[in-house]
Amino acid sequence: MVKRIGIIGLGNVGEAVAHSLKKHASLISRRTGLKLEIKSLCDKEKRKRRVAERLCVPFTTQALSLIKDPDIHIIVELIGGIQPARKFIMEALRRKKNVVTANKALLATHGREIFSLAKKKKKAVGFEASVCGAIPLIKSISQGLVSCEVRKIYGILNGTTNYILYKMGKEKIDFAAAVAQAQKKGLAERKPYLDIEGTDTLHKLTILSYLCFGVWPSMQKVHTEGISKISLLDILYAEELNYRVKLLAIAKKDRNAIDLRVHPTLIPIGHPLSETSLSYNAVFLHAYPAGQLLFYGEGAGGLPTSSSVISDIVSISLNEKGIMRREEKLNLKNVKDVKARYYIRFMALDRPGVLASISKILASLKISIASVTQKERKKGKFVPIVMLTHEAREESMRKALAKIDHLPVIQSPSQTIRIEDL
Ligand code: NAP
């Protein structure tokens, strides 16, 4: 069976997909009986014509001409961003073509509209590469766990932030120095806000929410905190307490509600997620009745990610249905109602009675303390005090901190990091 493919966007991923498709064409054919043919390559940069020439494939700078080509069965969108990617995908579906994309930002924002058009046109949208690069997570969940109910997901879904936190702890460097290292290695962009502020992780969590629970959440309502406020001090204190700081995407299903969050989290040292180093991604999930499962691997990079894109091209070519989830009505839990344990670091005056006044406020809001450590003694000076709490409601914690941070003995806003004991 011959399937003709058009690829739009010859950047990191697109170029790797084009090369791998050519290189592994005979292997794919032996394994699947499919003859995959790149009909045309497209990039808005004329200099990318060289990529096409090396592969002996026609080239265009006009994406719409490729989408309109009646000989092309599958359009592969690898330009990223919202527009014109949305326009290209919608037009391809309207013309009854299957689509493969790695575009998490677009799916998180317009996924509902894209999948509903695909359903109407009876076409497939492949999106394996949109979450965790090379890890075959989407197919594992939708096919491997087809008889299971996913109940909890804890994911390190962004390699850049994992690299930064890992380097801070490993080399005892501050946040800015770790960001600079990530930029030097090509892991962080010059303006790395999408990664650092948790937006990229939020996009991927949104896609997982659709896949696992059938819910496209409104992203503004998902509590999202990045890692820019995490200091080396907190990473080192966490290690002393046998925890590591990771930026986690968390999803929990509880009867008719889902709890979705993105934030730095303390997780126990020794848990496989805490050992996820450098820019690797890992997803730990609880599914009933399968139990606990761990997925680990390269979350980015053109070549690793190309394997997921090609896997979508092959499975759509073999069975044009694609992965689609029926939407469900579940409420999104407000973060204020979430219960968690907390790590809190206060910068407080080292003088008698300070601990008592902090504890009194916490107790008045029914927050009980599990442990307290005063890190230094400097009479009359500000010193760090680190507390771990038992489980408390987020709303109570916020009220308590608002009061504590107003005490004259407190120097600066307190640092809190939620704990997941996994
Ligand atoms: P990239 O390196 O920026 O490549 C995108 C390419 O598309 C660039 O050559 C760009 O040209 C071109 N382009 C932009 N607008 C176009 C248009 N209207 N028509 C034709 N070509 C156009 O991006 P990437 O890293 O390959 O990422 C592609 C997608 O994969 C994104 O959705 C990304 O989120 C996703 N993804 C990437 C990775 C990864 O490791 N890179 C991993 C997983 C998923 P200009 O350079 O001139 O703009």
Side-chain angles (χ1 to χ4, degrees), residues 9 11-13 43-45 48 78-80 84 102-104 129 300-301 305:
N12 291 315
V13 183
D43 197 284
K44 73 175 174 13
E45 287 289 325
K48 291 286 169 114
L78 295 169
I79 65 175
N103 195 332
K104 54 244 172 181
T305 305

Side-chain angles (χ1 to χ4, degrees), residues 7-15 42-45 47-48 60-63 77-81 83-85 88 101-106 129-134 189 200 204 299-305 309:
I7 302 176
I8 310 172
L10 296 176
N12 291 315
V13 183
E15 189 172 340
C42 166
D43 197 284
K44 73 175 174 13
E45 287 289 325
R47 65 187 165 82
K48 291 286 169 114
T60 174
T61 53
Q62 300 305 310
E77 178 278 309
L78 295 169
I79 65 175
Q83 286 292 16
F88 293 163
T101 179
N103 195 332
K104 54 244 172 181
L106 176 66
S130 66
V131 183
C132 293
E189 294 180 12
D200 177 73
K204 294 165 182 168
L303 211 50
T305 305
V309 175

Side-chain angles (χ1 to χ4, degrees), residues 69-361:
D69 183 339
D71 277 352
I72 292 181
H73 302 107
I74 303 176
I75 297 291
V76 182
E77 178 278 309
L78 295 169
I79 65 175
I82 306 296
Q83 286 292 16
R86 171 170 169 257
K87 183 174 101 182
F88 293 163
I89 288 182
M90 297 298 274
E91 187 55 30
L93 290 170
R94 269 185 224 110
R95 290 177 178 269
K96 295 196 124 269
K97 291 187 192 300
N98 293 301
V99 168
V100 172
T101 179
N103 195 332
K104 54 244 172 181
L106 176 66
L107 290 180
T109 321
H110 295 287
R112 175 178 278 145
E113 163 190 43
I114 289 170
F115 281 94
S116 103
L117 182 60
K119 189 176 175 193
K120 198 167 139 200
K121 298 288 178 185
K122 297 192 171 55
K123 289 287 129 188
V125 178
F127 57 107
E128 184 64 72
S130 66
V131 183
C132 293
I135 306 174
L137 183 68
I138 304 292
K139 282 192 193 69
S140 300
I141 293 175
S142 64
Q143 295 170 5
L145 298 178
V146 69
S147 68
C148 297
E149 183 191 31
V150 175
R151 292 179 173 173
K152 288 182 188 169
I153 306 171
Y154 301 95
I156 296 173
L157 308 182
N158 181 273
T160 308
T161 43
N162 199 54
Y163 183 88
I164 293 167
L165 292 172
Y166 171 79
K167 282 284 171 173
M168 286 172 76
K170 186 85 181 162
E171 294 176 13
K172 312 217 176 337
I173 52 176
D174 67 15
F175 178 75
V179 171
Q181 279 202 21
Q183 283 168 326
K184 208 168 157 198
K185 276 203 81 130
L187 289 168
E189 294 180 12
R190 207 167 51 81
K191 292 180 181 169
Y193 313 115
L194 269 186
D195 292 320
I196 281 170
E197 297 308 339
T199 314
D200 177 73
T201 301
L202 170 64
H203 290 155
K204 294 165 182 168
L205 178 64
T206 302
I207 296 168
L208 289 180
S209 165
Y210 165 66
L211 186 71
C212 297
F213 312 122
V215 175
W216 287 111
S218 150
M219 283 192 283
Q220 294 90 315
K221 292 192 178 153
V222 177
H223 179 80
T224 303
E225 265 173 63
I227 62 165
S228 55
K229 294 198 186 97
I230 299 294
S231 70
L232 175 60
L233 212 55
D234 296 311
I235 287 180
L236 298 178
Y237 292 162
E239 293 241 349
E240 281 177 29
L241 294 160
N242 224 21
Y243 287 103
R244 215 156 260 151
V245 184
K246 294 286 180 188
L247 180 68
L248 286 195
I250 298 175
K252 297 182 186 179
K253 182 169 181 250
D254 174 21
R255 270 182 272 172
N256 294 329
I258 47 169
D259 168 19
L260 301 176
R261 293 173 266 146
V262 173
H263 53 70
T265 312
L266 256 59
I267 53 177
I269 289 180
H271 187 280
L273 279 189
S274 79
E275 306 306 323
T276 303
S277 61
L278 299 166
S279 60
Y280 282 93
N281 282 194
V283 176
F284 178 63
L285 62 82
H286 296 215
Y288 180 80
Q292 300 184 346
L293 298 158
L294 180 74
F295 300 85
Y296 178 90
E298 296 275 7
L303 211 50
T305 305
S306 73
S307 74
S308 287
V309 175
I310 293 175
S311 135
D312 275 344
I313 294 173
V314 169
S315 50
I316 288 174
S317 300
L318 289 172
N319 157 18
E320 296 206 346
K321 282 199 190 99
I323 292 163
M324 216 168 278
R325 177 73 153 88
R326 210 181 63 198
E327 288 197 38
E328 308 274 344
K329 280 213 161 21
L330 293 171
N331 296 322
L332 184 62
K333 208 167 174 174
N334 189 317
V335 68
K336 286 185 183 168
D337 298 324
V338 166
K339 283 185 176 168
R341 293 184 61 224
Y342 292 84
Y343 159 102
I344 319 173
R345 175 174 52 81
F346 306 103
M347 291 303 289
L349 262 189
D350 184 9
R351 81 171 183 221
V354 170
L355 256 180
S357 45
I358 294 174
S359 311
K360 199 171 151 197
I361 294 174

